[in-house]
Amino acid sequence: MAFNETQQAAIRHREGPILVLAGPGSGKTTVLTERVRALIEDGQVAPGNILVITFTRAAAREMQARFERLMGGRKVPVTFGTFHSVFFRILKLAYGYEAKDIVREEQRTQFMKEMTAEEEIETEDEADFISSVLGEISAVKGEMLDLSCYYSKNCPEEIFKRLYHGYEERLRAARLIDFDDMLVMCYELFSQRADILSAWQRKYTYILIDEFQDINRIQYEIVRMMALPENNLFIVGDDDQSIYRFRGAKPEIMLGFEKDYPGAAKTLLDVNYRSTKTIVEAAGRLIAHNRTRFPKDIRAEKGLGAPVRTCFYPDAGDEALAVVKEILAYRDAGYSLSDMAVIYRTSLEPRLLVERLMEYNVPFKTRDSLPNIYEHWISRNILAYIKAALGNLERGNVLEFINRPKRYISRDALETAVVSWEQVKSFYQDKDWMVERIERLEFDLAAISRMKPAAAVNYIRKAAGYNDYLKEYAQFRRMKEEELLEVADQLQESAAGFQSFEDWFSHMEEYGKELEAQARNQTEPLGDQDGVALMTMHGSKGLEYSIVYIIDANEGVTPHRKAVLEADLEEERRMFYVAMTRAKERLCICAAKERYGKKLEPSRFIREYYGKEEP
């Protein structure tokens, strides 16, 4: 295989540290595996002294398979693994840990559930709260942060500290460790036991790290210790594709590598073999707006290709319909559906698109599981109001909405399996203001029963006070209220497509079945059946398609409304860059002018990649 000049420089590098900047589609995996082969065959390095680390098991397996093919199918004892698998092996030999000592995900969740109950924390979405807090605990450990200075994004600091310590105590009591402990314990082991560190330094004299832009602080510190004294560190990555800050990834580590290793070699894999010239240049204009990055001039190996299209639609419904019709036109022109992908910022977005794909019988596969908007707790609350208005007064259904907003109606007042408002009023007969509240609720339910779906949702939100409740809850959870109101907006948008509750409920059932079928297919690789690939920007990393659509390129969506600081905006721009560079031949970026009855602004990224004020 022929390699270009910069690829050869990376492959032939011998001793000492080297930073390999690998642009999208530049053949980094090939360079990495070829480098391992060159170390063994040309550099006479013993295979057992080489360690290759990447971030996922799938990536480690794929790299090992490619390397073995390169070696003619021979089994060569080079170690390929993830950070966690390598560090766990070290702990296993030092302390005798086994797989049974690693806490299971469901155990972590159970620990947190118990503590949430003890703290009497009331959350509408317990699963979301627990997963967010566990993510924060992971960040504190991975970034080696001082807990006393940590400001929680999910709950008051004192509560977070108690949850953190309670979680740690439960782990220790059960004699278990989590994935972050593997890193912390490995770091402590190497810091305290020079003899053990020295043994591993002798074992792995050459360390290669893929996707280095995704490394966190503690992983980096451990690797630095292991690489001493020769510092034969070969790091490959692209700071422009660092999109996992929420998991603790720090592109700053890659940017500071040359300061940590003065005199380190550096090479840029600057030829994109994947995309056409127009796509590469548009993506380059976009990412150049980031300040915290290595400057790069990426060239395309392919010809000019079709222009990058930017399409504006009157509203989100028109956008979804147009994308589906274009996909069908491409299929008729000879492209297979699996040559095409639709990429979006968050998994809440593609509901309209999925509904149109179902309507036109276009097969699709989701890379990330799509949440069912109709099962979200906000939807459940609103739908419970509607079901009660239509006659479902079962106690469980009434409890779903009775105190949202707060009406201060006690569960004890709902004594029977089927709620009787007369009995509830009787329970509060000596409190006139409570009887008035119940009568007002009865009036609201009677009004809702006579409305069409969209009007009913609007009435619940505004007249019955549900929007006010969401704003209050957002304040407690330290969230932006728009995040919650958007779910209600989506439900109202869906309701607008139906004239009767019966038809709307029937659609919800059909939509739920389709998402369940998609979830069952999650385990299959996307290429196993012909279907359009749907994925988030995060989920698209590492993939490529002939035709790519990026939808909802609007301010507040991408960049996301949560992105306030400059570092957040730069990460959003990197995500958009990753999405753009998935396209090999054709790229279409879509934006709506209106959604939920509100005017939308096109994303600033459109202006940036286009290179002018208006496309």
Side-chain angles (χ1 to χ4, degrees):
M1 182 176 177
F3 294 99
N4 67 38
E5 199 177 315
T6 55
Q7 288 175 327
Q8 286 180 28
I11 291 164
R12 290 177 184 160
H13 176 78
R14 279 292 166 263
E15 309 299 320
I18 179 170
L19 165 63
V20 180
L21 290 171
S26 60
K28 72 175 175 65
T29 306
T30 304
V31 166
L32 219 150
T33 49
E34 190 65 36
R35 152 97 174 148
V36 176
R37 185 201 61 74
L39 282 174
I40 296 165
E41 293 185 353
D42 306 337
Q44 304 303 304
V45 175
N49 293 144
I50 300 171
L51 171 64
V52 183
I53 305 179
T54 189
F55 280 80
T56 66
R57 277 182 297 183
R61 282 196 299 266
E62 187 203 337
M63 204 171 291
Q64 184 163 11
R66 283 176 73 162
F67 172 68
E68 285 173 1
R69 283 198 299 275
L70 195 62
M71 302 300 282
R74 283 185 293 134
K75 288 278 181 196
V76 183
V78 172
T79 302
F80 289 85
T82 62
F83 279 104
H84 288 116
S85 69
V86 172
F87 295 167
F88 185 65
R89 186 178 166 212
I90 292 167
L91 295 178
K92 191 175 177 180
L93 290 168
Y95 300 126
Y97 278 115
E98 296 175 33
K100 67 178 175 60
D101 300 315
I102 303 171
V103 68
R104 297 191 313 278
E105 199 55 39
E106 58 268 29
Q107 288 172 291
R108 299 175 80 219
T109 303
Q110 186 54 39
F111 291 159
M112 201 54 73
K113 267 186 180 172
E114 290 165 9
M115 289 184 292
T116 304
E118 284 167 18
E119 289 286 340
E120 296 181 349
I121 300 169
E122 285 186 28
T123 61
E124 290 293 355
D125 189 343
E126 186 185 53
D128 175 66
F129 177 77
I130 286 173
S131 118
S132 299
V133 171
L134 285 171
E136 289 197 90
I137 291 172
S138 181
V140 169
K141 292 183 183 182
E143 286 308 301
M144 308 166 82
L145 301 175
D146 179 349
L147 185 60
S148 63
C149 303
Y150 183 74
Y151 180 83
S152 172
K153 299 180 186 76
N154 284 285
C155 54
E157 278 61 66
E158 288 313 308
I159 291 177
F160 178 76
K161 283 174 192 166
R162 289 198 295 274
L163 291 175
Y164 182 99
H165 291 305
Y167 170 73
E168 289 290 279
E169 283 161 14
R170 279 168 166 77
L171 276 181
R172 302 301 160 252
R175 306 180 79 85
L176 294 170
I177 60 171
D178 65 15
F179 284 111
D180 300 297
D181 290 329
M182 289 182 199
L183 310 184
V184 173
M185 292 172 78
C186 208
Y187 176 77
E188 288 172 351
L189 176 70
F190 282 173
S191 302
Q192 293 160 13
R193 290 289 301 272
D195 55 333
I196 291 175
L197 172 59
S198 176
W200 286 102
Q201 287 168 337
R202 288 193 301 273
K203 165 70 178 159
Y204 292 127
T205 51
Y206 287 82
I207 300 174
L208 298 87
I209 303 175
D210 188 25
E211 303 286 7
F212 187 79
Q213 75 278 351
D214 295 333
I215 202 164
N216 71 18
R217 175 58 54 194
I218 197 162
Q219 289 165 341
Y220 182 52
E221 294 302 336
I222 296 168
V223 164
R224 290 193 71 189
M225 287 193 266
M226 282 178 76
L228 289 166
E230 288 93 350
N231 291 328
N232 289 325
L233 262 180
F234 183 94
I235 68 160
V236 186
D238 183 3
D239 54 305
D240 290 334
Q241 295 186 70
S242 179
I243 58 172
Y244 294 115
R245 219 153 60 94
F246 68 96
R247 284 192 206 154
K250 287 274 184 278
E252 299 86 344
I253 293 173
M254 188 169 193
L255 291 160
F257 186 77
E258 290 169 289
K259 283 185 188 157
D260 293 335
Y261 294 96
K266 178 177 165 187
T267 187
L268 167 65
L269 305 184
D270 58 354
V271 181
N272 181 317
Y273 293 95
R274 174 190 300 150
S275 309
T276 61
K277 190 177 181 203
T278 49
I279 293 168
V280 170
E281 288 182 351
R285 285 193 296 273
L286 169 84
I287 202 64
H289 284 78
N290 271 6
R291 291 178 191 161
T292 311
R293 65 186 289 264
F294 289 110
K296 304 175 194 71
D297 181 20
I298 305 291
R299 297 173 290 116
E301 175 72 5
K302 288 183 177 176
L304 194 63
V308 173
R309 288 169 56 225
T310 308
C311 299
F312 296 97
Y313 298 98
D315 65 33
D318 293 316
E319 176 192 47
L321 183 59
V323 169
V324 171
K325 286 186 171 176
E326 283 197 17
I327 284 168
L328 288 169
Y330 277 123
R331 185 181 67 179
D332 294 343
Y335 283 95
S336 71
L337 291 175
S338 51
D339 284 335
M340 299 179 246
V342 182
I343 303 177
Y344 34 84
R345 172 63 182 85
T346 71
S347 56
L348 253 186
E349 283 165 60
R351 179 187 56 80
L352 284 172
L353 180 75
V354 167
E355 288 174 348
R356 290 293 163 271
L357 290 167
M358 286 165 62
E359 186 184 329
Y360 282 81
N361 293 315
V362 180
F364 63 92
K365 288 201 78 174
T366 54
R367 184 165 177 82
D368 325 84
S369 57
L370 291 178
N372 186 341
I373 186 73
Y374 305 116
E375 289 176 357
H376 193 285
W377 63 267
I378 292 172
S379 298
R380 284 202 318 269
N381 290 174
I382 293 172
L383 293 171
Y385 267 104
I386 292 170
K387 287 171 188 170
L390 298 176
N392 179 353
L393 293 177
E394 288 177 20
R395 188 172 185 268
N397 188 61
V398 172
L399 282 171
E400 188 80 55
F401 69 86
I402 191 83
N403 284 315
R404 298 174 176 89
K406 284 195 176 84
R407 295 183 178 93
Y408 302 98
I409 296 172
S410 163
R411 294 173 85 94
D412 296 339
L414 311 177
E415 298 165 316
T416 51
V418 176
V419 171
S420 154
W421 297 123
E422 292 309 313
Q423 280 182 325
V424 179
K425 284 187 278 192
S426 169
F427 184 89
Y428 288 110
Q429 60 190 335
D430 54 343
K431 293 176 180 164
D432 292 347
W433 69 93
M434 288 299 290
V435 173
E436 271 177 42
R437 273 180 196 162
I438 296 153
E439 284 174 346
R440 173 71 209 186
L441 179 56
E442 283 184 280
F443 173 84
D444 287 340
L445 294 175
I448 292 163
S449 71
R450 297 189 294 271
M451 293 176 181
K452 287 188 175 173
V457 176
N458 192 49
Y459 185 93
I460 291 161
R461 294 178 66 183
K462 292 177 180 166
Y466 190 75
N467 272 8
D468 296 331
Y469 163 72
L470 289 182
K471 289 171 186 173
E472 194 181 307
Y473 182 70
Q475 211 170 356
F476 162 69
R477 277 292 311 276
R478 298 185 170 182
M479 302 166 82
K480 289 202 168 189
E481 62 186 46
E482 292 89 348
E483 285 179 60
L484 302 180
L485 293 171
E486 187 184 356
V487 178
D489 284 339
Q490 282 231 16
L491 190 71
Q492 195 166 332
E493 179 182 65
S494 167
F498 299 89
Q499 292 303 303
S500 73
F501 291 118
E502 189 183 358
D503 289 347
W504 191 30
F505 291 156
S506 169
H507 164 75
M508 287 181 207
E509 194 178 339
E510 196 184 321
Y511 185 79
K513 282 178 183 168
E514 178 60 45
L515 290 193
E516 280 171 21
Q518 288 294 326
R520 285 195 296 274
N521 292 336
Q522 285 282 302
T523 49
E524 300 170 29
L526 280 167
D528 281 7
Q529 68 186 56
D530 196 30
V532 180
L534 310 186
M535 64 196 73
T536 60
M537 292 177 177
H538 283 110
S540 73
K541 192 161 178 291
L543 303 173
E544 56 181 49
Y545 297 90
S546 298
I547 298 162
V548 167
Y549 288 87
I550 299 174
I551 59 169
D552 299 333
N554 291 99
E555 285 291 308
V557 178
T558 176
H560 198 273
R561 67 176 72 86
K562 278 186 187 172
V564 179
L565 305 173
E566 189 60 34
D568 299 327
L569 283 168
E570 294 213 344
E571 174 118 332
E572 292 286 321
R573 192 175 284 111
R574 291 194 292 269
M575 276 187 256
F576 205 91
Y577 175 75
V578 165
M580 289 179 77
T581 54
R582 301 310 94 200
K584 295 195 283 187
E585 297 172 25
R586 293 173 185 271
L587 173 62
C588 180
I589 293 163
C590 308
K593 293 178 180 174
E594 184 182 287
R595 191 163 192 184
Y596 315 132
K598 298 172 198 147
K599 190 173 180 292
L600 295 176
E601 290 297 319
S603 170
R604 69 193 71 184
F605 300 153
I606 291 176
R607 227 175 21 252
E608 292 174 359
Y609 73 68
Y610 196 70
K612 301 177 193 173
E613 272 309 297
E614 284 299 332

